[in-house]
Amino acid sequence: MDKLVDVIKIFLDKYFIPTIIAISATIFFVATYPDCLKLRSNTNEFLYYILVFCLVFLFVLSICKAYKTICSKIERSNAKEQHQQYVETEKRKVLEELWTFVDKLSIPNKQALFSFLRTNNTPIESSDTYASDSIFYNRDIMHETIARAIQEESFCPTTNRKNNGHIVIPIEHPIISIPVKKYRLNDSFFSLLKYSYGKYNRISHFEEDNQYD
């Protein structure tokens, strides 16, 4: 019996709660079945107690591990759901900022955004000079590079009086180089714009803006 106590102490050091449960269950089992399957008669009392204790302990340990596994999966599932809710909340905040921004844009600017959506953000070439309220002027959402240059000659007519008449003399000016720029939306802004249109079928607070598509 002393050896059994020593064995139980080893289990208590590492698996306290499962061991307590196993001891209680072993006592109950041995009291109910003092010689189950005649194992006690065929071996000896000590080995019988050890066998019963080990079987009960393994059963209890399996239940504990199964319980921990289930709890762990539930916690991961809850954490994933909470994270998803957090992501959706943050996306909604960003979308609100996007929609408020697009609400204030002019019709040509909204048409330009839909043009980028239709072409999957294919760069647009232009030599125009844009005003400060244009999205093409906004470096926060637009990426700009110089694609090429157009060479143009400028002629300015002037007049000179002769014999009470006017003579128009064209004066040649130096060649002017006009840059042609490529414009495309920043990747982060375009991704948000595409997500908004794909999920909510709009890029502003007003679905009427879809008429500019």
Side-chain angles (χ1 to χ4, degrees), residues 32-99:
T32 306
Y33 304 99
D35 193 10
C36 181
L37 301 177
K38 297 184 179 181
L39 292 174
R40 183 176 179 180
S41 302
N42 295 331
T43 55
N44 58 60
E45 184 178 4
F46 174 74
L47 291 178
Y48 180 68
Y49 291 155
I50 289 293
L51 177 61
V52 173
F53 171 78
C54 289
L55 291 175
V56 174
F57 177 80
L58 290 174
F59 178 74
V60 173
L61 194 63
S62 298
I63 293 177
C64 291
K65 286 190 175 182
Y67 174 77
K68 289 181 179 179
T69 301
I70 293 173
C71 290
S72 178
K73 288 184 178 180
I74 293 175
E75 288 178 0
R76 285 199 299 267
S77 177
N78 291 338
K80 184 177 180 180
E81 184 177 351
Q82 291 176 357
H83 177 71
Q84 188 65 27
Q85 290 177 352
Y86 172 78
V87 171
E88 290 297 327
T89 301
E90 291 301 310
K91 279 186 177 180
R92 188 70 186 187
K93 290 180 181 179
V94 176
L95 284 175
E96 284 294 332
E97 294 177 0
L98 170 68
W99 293 345

Side-chain angles (χ1 to χ4, degrees), residues 22-191:
I23 291 173
S24 302
T26 299
I27 293 173
F28 176 79
F29 183 86
V30 171
T32 306
Y33 304 99
D35 193 10
C36 181
L37 301 177
K38 297 184 179 181
L39 292 174
R40 183 176 179 180
S41 302
N42 295 331
T43 55
N44 58 60
E45 184 178 4
F46 174 74
L47 291 178
Y48 180 68
Y49 291 155
I50 289 293
L51 177 61
V52 173
F53 171 78
C54 289
L55 291 175
V56 174
F57 177 80
L58 290 174
F59 178 74
V60 173
L61 194 63
S62 298
I63 293 177
C64 291
K65 286 190 175 182
Y67 174 77
K68 289 181 179 179
T69 301
I70 293 173
C71 290
S72 178
K73 288 184 178 180
I74 293 175
E75 288 178 0
R76 285 199 299 267
S77 177
N78 291 338
K80 184 177 180 180
E81 184 177 351
Q82 291 176 357
H83 177 71
Q84 188 65 27
Q85 290 177 352
Y86 172 78
V87 171
E88 290 297 327
T89 301
E90 291 301 310
K91 279 186 177 180
R92 188 70 186 187
K93 290 180 181 179
V94 176
L95 284 175
E96 284 294 332
E97 294 177 0
L98 170 68
W99 293 345
T100 301
F101 170 75
V102 177
D103 289 343
K104 300 176 182 178
L105 294 179
S106 63
I107 292 177
N109 283 328
K110 292 178 181 178
Q111 291 173 335
L113 290 180
F114 278 111
S115 176
F116 281 115
L117 279 174
R118 286 195 305 271
T119 61
N120 199 30
N121 205 22
T122 300
I124 295 176
E125 288 191 2
S126 175
S127 60
D128 296 338
T129 301
Y130 295 100
S132 59
D133 61 345
S134 171
I135 61 170
F136 293 93
Y137 190 83
N138 190 336
R139 295 297 169 266
D140 292 333
I141 66 170
M142 190 68 65
H143 181 69
E144 169 193 311
T145 57
I146 297 178
R148 52 195 171 86
I150 300 175
Q151 307 295 328
E152 291 187 357
E153 293 183 357
S154 176
F155 292 90
C156 180
T158 185
T159 59
N160 190 13
R161 292 183 178 275
K162 186 177 181 181
N163 297 328
N164 297 323
H166 294 82
I167 299 176
V168 178
I169 304 175
I171 299 177
E172 185 175 348
H173 286 260
I175 295 176
I176 299 175
S177 179
I178 301 176
V180 177
K181 298 180 180 179
K182 279 186 177 181
Y183 297 91
R184 67 187 297 272
L185 296 174
N186 291 341
D187 291 338
S188 57
F189 183 82
F190 177 73
S191 296

